[in-house]
């Protein structure tokens, strides 16, 4: 998606060689017009899939999923994160390791909002090592819902998460895949 | 806003006498169609105000602010919350007391995304004791931006936050004001 790649090149920047900061349009300030184009692009990619719900994770997936959901005409459910390891009988939980924080956290979705009739599209801002996506996959599996696929705004193609998940036969659609990045800039996969 | 009041009556419920759970449409599962109507309603209330940016706070303000921002054609900035008390030179900060959590947390907005040219509309899901809104007001004041007003989805009118903020001459528009609630149900202000 050219508009997104241009935003990354012009308004993103790389910190310390491996962190891409997109705070100016995706993660802190939100460029709602760009998010609309991203939403439209996801709806084209997953057209005809009769999706019933979009699942994402707090915090940074929420705006993207909400704007995209308008094109699918479905509700959004966002997984809540907590440091607590209590397994709540009323939630589907997954333990997820965060490399950024250096610890596990629990992702939770209330059992009320996912069931075996649902066809779920996961939407998230980043895919890197795939830990967060795997947490959402585990929650969907526990709920008995059907997974349609995963829509990712920015995939770090030089990390293994996306390809590991694809190798399980899961459809992953990333709107921009970064092959390499560093102080010299960002290179996208063609 | 009748549609919202009906959603609260039909799909919300009161826990322990003073907590209104709206997880089924506003806080965990998101009814995007209703959020669109909420966004339109805010845009009517603040029409002609030449707003340049919408400010909200993570987590539960993000979806509402993002959907509403489409009608204002402006970006959203959401304040990040952290337990850290480090004052970052590159952010506008506010210490906010959370009654729910029983402790202070820090709300932060990068200095890059607010400036004295901005005319800000605050949008949030709830107004109760007004602590979160006051934190956002402090951040706006530090940035030198102009405040246009505050749009609230649900105001707990039996708590003092809304009226305290109005008494400072600040415009607060709440789409549903709850006068009382308990096990017998919810009563709205006319």
């Amino acid at each position: 998606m050219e508009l997104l790649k241009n935003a990354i090149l012009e308004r993103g920047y790389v910190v310390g060689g491996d962190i891409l900061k997109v705070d100016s349009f995706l993660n802190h300030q939100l460029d709602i017009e760009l998010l609309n184009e991203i939403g439209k692009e996801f709806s084209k990619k997953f057209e005809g899939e009769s999706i019933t719900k979009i699942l994402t994770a707090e915090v940074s997936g929420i705006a993207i999923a909400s704007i995209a959901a308008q094109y699918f005409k479905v509700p959004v459910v966002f997984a809540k994160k907590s440091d607590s390891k209590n397994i709540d009988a009323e939630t589907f939980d997954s333990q997820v390791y965060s490399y950024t924080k250096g610890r596990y956290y629990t992702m939770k979705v209330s059992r009320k909002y996912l069931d075996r009739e649902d066809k779920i599209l996961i939407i998230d801002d980043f895919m890197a090592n795939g830990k967060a996506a795997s947490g959402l996959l585990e929650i969907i599996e526990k709920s008995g819902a059907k997974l349609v696929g995963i829509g990712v705004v920015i995939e770090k193609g030089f990390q293994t998460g996306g390809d590991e998940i694809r190798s399980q036969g899961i459809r992953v659609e990333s709107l921009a895949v970064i092959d390499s990045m560093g102080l010299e800039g960002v290179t996208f996969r063609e």
Side-chain angles (χ1 to χ4, degrees), chain A residues 3 7-8 16 27 36 38 45 64 68 83 87 105 111 117 120 146 156 160-161 167 172 174-175 184:
Chain A
L3 196 66
I8 295 169
N27 273 337
N36 255 304
I38 287 171
K45 301 231 181 244
I64 302 158
D83 287 331
I87 303 296
Y105 62 90
R111 286 175 181 254
E117 305 303 315
I120 308 288
K146 187 174 177 292
K156 291 181 173 174
T160 55
S167 74
V172 181
S174 300
L175 303 188
E184 74 289 348

Side-chain angles (χ1 to χ4, degrees), chain A residues 34-182:
Chain A
L34 176 62
L35 261 54
N36 255 304
E37 296 303 320
I38 287 171
K40 273 184 215 166
E41 195 72 18
F42 283 134
S43 75
K44 279 185 211 159
K45 301 231 181 244
F46 291 98
E47 205 175 350
E49 286 285 1
S50 60
I51 287 154
T52 64
K53 225 162 249 185
I54 293 177
L55 179 65
T56 190
E58 68 177 26
V59 177
S60 48
I62 296 175
I64 302 158
S66 298
I67 298 283
Q70 296 173 311
Y71 298 97
F72 292 91
K73 302 191 187 306
V74 298
V76 169
V77 175
F78 63 87
K80 303 198 174 198
K81 294 175 183 175
S82 72
D83 287 331
S84 147
K85 294 208 175 179
N86 288 341
I87 303 296
D88 184 340
E90 294 175 3
T91 56
F92 301 116
D93 292 3
S94 176
Q95 304 295 322
V96 178
Y97 186 75
S98 164
Y99 286 97
T100 320
K101 295 183 181 173
R103 62 165 189 264
Y104 282 88
Y105 62 90
T106 306
M107 242 182 210
K108 292 167 181 277
V109 172
S110 166
R111 286 175 181 254
K112 289 184 209 159
Y113 307 129
L114 287 180
D115 68 44
R116 46 188 73 243
E117 305 303 315
D118 278 319
K119 294 182 178 173
I120 308 288
L121 173 63
I122 293 175
I123 284 186
D124 214 349
D125 58 339
F126 273 97
M127 168 84 81
N129 53 56
K131 297 291 179 200
S134 298
L136 293 174
L137 291 172
E138 186 186 343
I139 284 171
I140 291 172
E141 204 182 330
K142 286 181 176 173
S143 77
K146 187 174 177 292
L147 173 75
V148 172
I150 306 180
V152 172
V153 180
I154 302 172
E155 179 177 342
K156 291 181 173 174
F158 55 92
Q159 290 190 248
T160 55
D163 291 333
E164 275 170 27
I165 290 173
R166 287 184 188 95
S167 74
Q168 300 169 40
I170 292 169
R171 182 172 173 201
V172 181
E173 296 281 357
S174 300
L175 303 188
V177 181
I178 295 174
D179 260 347
S180 68
M181 63 187 207

